[in-house]
Amino acid sequence: MGAPGSGKGTQAQRLIQRFGIPQISTGDLLRSAVARGTDYGKRAKAAMDSGQLVVDEIVLGIIRERLAEPDAARGFILDGFPRNIVQAQALQKMLTGIGAALDAVVLFEVDYDVIIKRISGRRSCPQCARVFNAPSSASGDVPRCDQCADHPPLVQRPDDQEATVRRRLEVYERETRPLAQFYEQQGLLHTIDADAPVEDVTERLVAALSSVPAPA
Ligand code: AP5
């Protein structure tokens, strides 16, 4: 859990390598559905572009499908889901249905002025989807992916315009932040100060997770 731009995706990518389990990001799954023009994607696009939450029915549908894929059998990292109480309750039911349990919930705390700055510099590679923080240079050169062989130009997400980011932060405060209390009451919540260099946040994250008892 964490506000837009708090570093959920960046850190989830690092945990994939460390723990060998997949990242399941509802944002990425929805963007992929939009790009492929699926029924879910067509219905989700307007809400995403305007910084609102996509309706629960769609989000729960894509999560249900994703959790049924073989690579999720050994565990998974949920990134950006659940985002409201209805989704949290539905997740509990789904996990009970597949005989799994939530081991931990991590909340990333970052001041909103830092977030606005981070998101304005976020660019991603249209080929490998890797996320960078690379604002355009003063000379007007477009930053390019250094991971892909043909170095494609990096692109900005349509919902990363400042006005839309501010709306996403309001939605986060209203709908998602209250889930921290929901998970705290269940003894699952670990809060991390995520306003630090990426490597330091990873260390804090891994330290928090190492205190979690191994699943039975
Ligand atoms: P989603 O894609 O989930 O966006 P988000 O939650 O708003 O989170 P972001 O991806 O913006 O940020 P992040 O925390 O992953 O940060 P990142 O690591 O990229 O959702 C998009 C939309 O989809 C939603 O608005 C909604 O419409 C819909 N949606 C998704 N899930 C939904 C759900 N469950 N229900 C309903 N609707 C849903 O980092 C950000 C930038 O900061 C990057 O440039 C990165 O390089 C940089 N950075 C990261 N860490 C650091 C650091 N420690 N120091 C400096 N820079 C850093």
Side-chain angles (χ1 to χ4, degrees), residues 2-12 23 25-28 30-31 44 47-56 59 63 79-84 87 108 114-115 117-119 121-123 131-134 157 159-160 168 171-172 194-199 201:
S6 57
K8 304 181 294 295
T10 302
Q11 296 298 330
Q23 166 198 22
S25 154
T26 38
D28 288 347
L30 287 165
R31 276 185 288 282
M48 293 179 77
D49 285 350
S50 64
Q52 304 293 341
L53 292 188
V54 172
V55 293
D56 294 331
V59 174
I63 279 283
D79 164 8
F81 174 87
R83 256 171 149 102
N84 60 26
Q87 293 181 11
F108 287 177
V114 174
I115 277 177
K117 227 180 264 169
R118 275 189 192 176
I119 293 191
R122 172 167 51 192
R123 300 290 183 277
V131 174
F132 296 83
N133 203 279
R157 267 170 48 176
D159 60 345
D160 275 354
R168 286 161 59 200
V171 171
Y172 171 75
D195 184 4
V198 172
E199 290 73 19
V201 178

Side-chain angles (χ1 to χ4, degrees), residues 7 54 85 90 166 204:
V54 172
I85 195 75
R166 290 192 187 279
R204 292 173 193 179

Side-chain angles (χ1 to χ4, degrees), residues 28-42 62 65:
D28 288 347
L29 291 170
L30 287 165
R31 276 185 288 282
S32 158
V34 170
R36 286 179 290 122
T38 66
D39 181 45
Y40 279 159
K42 283 180 197 149
I62 62 167
E65 285 173 7

